[in-house]
Amino acid sequence: MNMEKNTLSPIRLRRLRAQGFTCENEQTLQQMAFGIRFAYRACVLLLMVAIASKSLLLFSAMLGFSFLGIVLPNHPFDYMFNYTLRLWLRAPMVPARSRQLKFACTIATVFLGAVVGLLYFGMVTQGLITAGILAFFALLPSTIDLCIPSLIYNAIFQKSGKAGAMAR
């Protein structure tokens, strides 16, 4: 059972490659697309619930999830997908996180740390605005595969000049 269209546009394939999925052939990458987006979508959903509820506890849990996305080979939601949902969908496993996606988790961790700190010190409006900015940037890869932190990583650390072209 495939939850996405069977084919991805060349633009979306380039955007997935910009996230560090460079070893997979086009067909495998298309089959993995839903699984790749799963962690983003789960995070966006939790962010929306946390924003709506103004829950310091939920934001703190998300801070822990994003930190684990840096230190573990996969994001915690990738493990959830790989060992439960993937089996039901008969989809390929999501591979270990690339440097680009670990960089994205690092940025998310910084944002969530700021949100938790702002909420803890009673700066609710500022915390929710910061969380909203993070939610917007997490929504992009979960819908159109555009991961801004991956593009930033590629622009800074990749030796080839392809980082800017990958977003188009």
Side-chain angles (χ1 to χ4, degrees), residues 14 16-25 29 32 95 98-100 154 158 166:
R14 280 195 305 272
L16 288 169
R17 297 241 184 259
Q19 293 175 40
F21 297 102
T22 56
C23 295
E24 296 77 16
N25 65 41
L29 191 56
M32 290 180 4
S98 64
R99 289 172 292 181
Q100 290 89 335
N154 292 337
Q158 298 295 331
M166 292 182 146

Side-chain angles (χ1 to χ4, degrees), residues 20 22 26 29 38-39 45 68 80 82 92 97-98 104 138 148:
T22 56
E26 188 173 308
L29 191 56
F38 180 77
L45 178 63
L68 289 173
M80 183 185 301
N82 281 341
R97 288 271 163 153
S98 64
I148 302 298

Side-chain angles (χ1 to χ4, degrees), residues 142-162:
S142 68
T143 55
I144 62 171
D145 299 311
L146 179 60
C147 180
I148 302 298
S150 291
L151 298 177
I152 293 168
Y153 178 92
N154 292 337
I156 295 171
F157 298 109
Q158 298 295 331
K159 296 196 189 286
S160 69
K162 297 180 182 177

Side-chain angles (χ1 to χ4, degrees), residues 12 16 19 36-37 40-41 44 101 135-149:
R12 291 182 84 165
L16 288 169
Q19 293 175 40
I36 291 168
R37 290 186 204 107
Y40 290 116
R41 290 174 176 171
V44 168
L101 295 180
F136 171 76
F137 283 103
L139 191 61
L140 294 175
S142 68
T143 55
I144 62 171
D145 299 311
L146 179 60
C147 180
I148 302 298

Side-chain angles (χ1 to χ4, degrees), residues 65-109:
F65 291 148
S66 65
F67 178 74
L68 289 173
I70 300 168
V71 299
L72 296 175
N74 288 76
H75 189 280
F77 293 133
D78 290 340
Y79 288 111
M80 183 185 301
F81 176 82
N82 281 341
Y83 295 105
T84 58
L85 190 57
R86 175 191 72 84
L87 302 173
W88 181 67
L89 296 173
R90 296 185 203 139
M93 289 184 82
V94 175
R97 288 271 163 153
S98 64
R99 289 172 292 181
Q100 290 89 335
L101 295 180
K102 289 195 177 281
F103 183 76
C105 283
T106 301
I107 291 175
T109 300

